[in-house]
Amino acid sequence: MGDEQSTERVAQGTDVTQEILVIDDDPAILGMTLLTFREAGFQAVGFTDPLDALMWASDADPTCIVVDLKLPGIEGLDLVGAFCAFGRHAVILVSAYVDVLTTVDAMRLGVDNVLTKPTTPEQLLGAARRALDILASIPRQDTLTFTRRERQVAEYLVAGRTTKQIAQALSLSPRTVEFFRASLLRKTQSPNSAALASALTRIGFTASDA
């Protein structure tokens, strides 16, 4: 579960309070980042667990998401792609391991900005404000979309593969496979794995032959 799942309202002189979601596996960095946003007048909610963050974002109104690239149990750009696939959030990627290829791939997924650690409060706040301004001007999109990894996992689920079998086939950890299964359950509004397989089949997914 996230270490910082409560939100804090700070008066801004207006009736509109903007919210920021922060994901970082380092509790100290997470705490400092949340404090930066809260002192600037934002609501801020934080998670160290990417799956908890994804579940929170799935039900959240359009918001700005600040996510670390290197998180345990999940490939960074897969997580970023999952957030971008919602089609309603502004995503800022922050990492000490950013190179040109990663930046290009992130932008193609729909990331609004890429920041290199360590970042200053001014950089974080400036990026968040720009992202929220852009977000406010874009109509909300609720079209059902899937990331590349979600599609791969979906094909194996339709084929009746177990989590362990999918993990071996895709060279992923079982934890990562469960991450994508949870995302697919949410997106298709399926109550269990059997209903998920049926929903994926109706959408058009076919069993993987691999």
Side-chain angles (χ1 to χ4, degrees):
M1 298 297 291
D3 292 344
E4 291 279 352
Q5 297 185 44
S6 61
T7 58
E8 178 180 336
R9 183 178 298 273
V10 182
Q12 302 183 76
T14 70
D15 294 330
V16 178
T17 305
Q18 295 171 308
E19 194 164 45
I20 307 288
L21 169 63
V22 183
I23 307 100
D24 198 302
D25 64 317
D26 187 322
I29 293 177
L30 178 63
M32 288 189 295
T33 305
L34 292 173
L35 182 62
T36 294
F37 285 122
R38 289 170 179 169
E39 288 184 339
F42 294 97
Q43 285 192 36
V45 58
F47 292 93
T48 56
D49 187 294
L51 182 56
D52 289 339
L54 182 65
M55 294 298 100
W56 185 94
S58 69
D59 295 324
D61 289 329
T63 190
C64 179
I65 299 174
V66 179
V67 57
D68 185 41
L69 178 64
K70 299 292 184 179
L71 295 171
I74 182 69
E75 184 178 329
L77 288 182
D78 282 337
L79 177 62
V80 168
F83 285 128
C84 291
F86 287 124
R88 65 180 184 273
H89 300 308
V91 181
I92 298 172
L93 179 63
V94 182
S95 177
Y97 306 95
V98 173
D99 54 26
V100 174
L101 181 59
T102 300
T103 300
V104 171
D105 288 343
M107 291 299 182
R108 285 174 176 169
L109 288 172
V111 166
D112 289 80
N113 206 338
V114 178
L115 301 178
T116 303
K117 286 184 176 180
T119 59
T120 66
E122 291 76 17
Q123 288 174 317
L124 275 174
L125 292 170
R129 288 179 177 127
R130 287 191 296 272
L132 288 168
D133 286 343
I134 294 173
L135 188 64
S137 67
I138 300 175
R140 178 169 173 169
Q141 303 172 21
D142 290 314
T143 303
L144 189 61
T145 58
F146 300 92
T147 68
R148 175 180 59 85
R149 282 295 195 193
E150 285 174 341
R151 290 183 176 278
Q152 290 176 326
V153 171
E155 290 174 354
Y156 283 107
L157 289 174
V158 170
R161 301 291 184 88
T162 65
T163 294
K164 183 177 180 180
Q165 290 171 331
I166 298 172
Q168 291 175 340
L170 297 177
S171 298
L172 299 173
S173 70
R175 167 70 170 168
T176 298
V177 173
E178 286 300 322
F179 173 91
F180 290 114
R181 184 195 297 272
S183 179
L184 291 166
L185 283 167
R186 181 202 58 76
K187 287 186 176 182
T188 60
Q189 299 183 353
S190 301
N192 52 51
S193 294
L196 173 60
S198 178
L200 292 172
T201 300
R202 289 196 303 272
I203 292 171
F205 284 98
T206 56
S208 173
D209 296 327

